[in-house]
Amino acid sequence: LTSLLPAILGWFCTLEGHIGQGVLQASLFSKLTLFMIVQTFFISAIAGSIVSDMEALLDDPVGKIQNILATKIPIQAVTFMSLVFVKASVGLMTELLRVWAIIFAVLHYLLAPNLTQEEKESDWMGLMPLCNPGGLWFAWYFADVVLMFVVLFVYSVLSPISSVLMLAVFFLLQVVYRNQLIYVYDPSNDAGGKYWGHFVWYVIVSMLIAQFTTLAVLSLNQSKSAPLMAPLIIASILFWRYLNTQHFRV
């Protein structure tokens, strides 16, 4: 069902009446990323605790959320490392072998009109032949990258070995997609920086999630260094405000 999510959200984005493909794809990226963070990261980590302790959550929401952040998210380190590893390894292998492109090309050959050379080489109802690779679907891949940033920021402090794994993952990502963008996909039109605002916003959100999680862990352990997290959180929020006033107003 998750594989159908880009098509479903893409249909909703078209109903919003965006004036350009770049704006539409940026809107799709924002929705996909929000889904990734909420469903993949938070729901899988804390949903069980919220359901089982609903009464305690209603009585003391701040304290209960702090307890969940401090106890449930740290023990999920292995789970999220495995998730990132599977996403990277299987995703990159599928990308290099062009598995989905081959499947769509076979369906295009079997179902699409192919009387003329133009029909054989053009897309039909979203199905493309191998000779027409199209462009990279940036919205879907950027959403995966933001999820990896969330995992990196949260667990680089709680489980430092995760930083080594994420370094290897990002290295492989840049090698594979650099090759695909240069040698495989058609060059796409410039989006005018429409992705930038959404991407930076979600990266800063990832930083804040990591900082609040670290603060919750330190507070639960009654560490004297917990108050030192406050300036870092304030600085992150002020940096976001600075970006809003100095960059996104242009």
Side-chain angles (χ1 to χ4, degrees):
L1 294 177
T2 305
S3 301
L4 299 176
L5 186 66
I8 297 173
L9 292 181
W11 179 70
F12 281 112
C13 290
T14 57
L15 298 180
E16 293 175 351
H18 297 292
I19 59 175
Q21 187 67 20
V23 181
L24 187 147
Q25 289 295 316
S27 177
L28 175 59
F29 159 66
S30 181
K31 292 175 176 59
L32 284 172
T33 304
L34 183 61
F35 176 84
M36 289 285 189
I37 294 176
V38 174
Q39 191 273 338
T40 306
F41 188 77
F42 281 109
I43 299 300
S44 61
I46 65 178
S49 300
I50 292 179
V51 173
S52 60
D53 298 334
M54 184 63 70
E55 183 177 351
L57 181 64
L58 294 176
D59 293 337
D60 184 18
V62 176
K64 185 58 183 176
I65 292 175
Q66 179 187 18
N67 183 66
I68 291 174
L69 288 174
T71 57
K72 299 302 179 182
I73 290 183
I75 64 176
Q76 298 286 336
V78 176
T79 301
F80 285 112
M81 289 301 103
S82 301
L83 173 66
V84 169
F85 180 77
V86 170
K87 270 183 171 291
S89 58
V90 176
L92 293 180
M93 181 174 62
T94 304
E95 179 65 35
L96 285 173
L97 295 176
R98 304 276 289 151
V99 174
W100 288 112
I102 294 173
I103 293 174
F104 291 151
V106 171
L107 292 175
H108 182 278
Y109 177 78
L110 296 175
L111 302 176
N114 56 4
L115 297 178
T116 65
Q117 190 66 25
E118 181 180 359
E119 289 179 339
K120 293 179 180 179
E121 296 178 357
S122 60
D123 65 289
W124 178 77
M125 297 185 65
L127 301 176
M128 293 185 178
L130 285 177
C131 62
N132 182 11
L136 180 65
W137 202 352
F138 289 100
W140 179 251
Y141 293 107
F142 281 170
D144 277 341
V145 170
V146 171
L147 177 62
M148 293 178 185
F149 269 113
V150 175
V151 174
L152 171 64
F153 289 148
V154 171
Y155 291 108
S156 59
V157 176
L158 304 178
S159 179
I161 191 65
S162 63
S163 299
V164 179
L165 174 63
M166 296 305 300
L167 175 63
V169 168
F170 281 120
F171 174 77
L172 292 175
L173 285 173
Q174 71 91 16
V175 169
V176 171
Y177 284 110
R178 183 192 297 269
N179 175 81
Q180 301 300 92
L181 287 170
I182 294 175
Y183 298 109
V184 177
Y185 291 108
D186 291 335
S188 58
N189 296 327
D190 185 77
K194 300 301 181 183
Y195 289 104
W196 169 253
H198 298 284
F199 189 86
V200 171
W201 188 83
Y202 279 115
V203 169
I204 294 178
V205 168
S206 303
M207 293 169 54
L208 291 173
I209 292 172
Q211 291 162 10
F212 278 111
T213 302
T214 304
L215 175 61
V217 172
L218 294 175
S219 300
L220 191 66
N221 294 326
Q222 299 180 349
S223 173
K224 295 181 180 180
S225 60
L228 298 178
M229 291 296 300
L232 183 60
I233 295 174
I234 294 173
S236 299
I237 296 174
L238 290 177
F239 177 67
W240 168 239
R241 295 293 301 168
Y242 168 78
L243 287 179
N244 273 334
T245 56
Q246 298 298 322
H247 178 80
F248 298 146
R249 65 183 175 83
V250 178

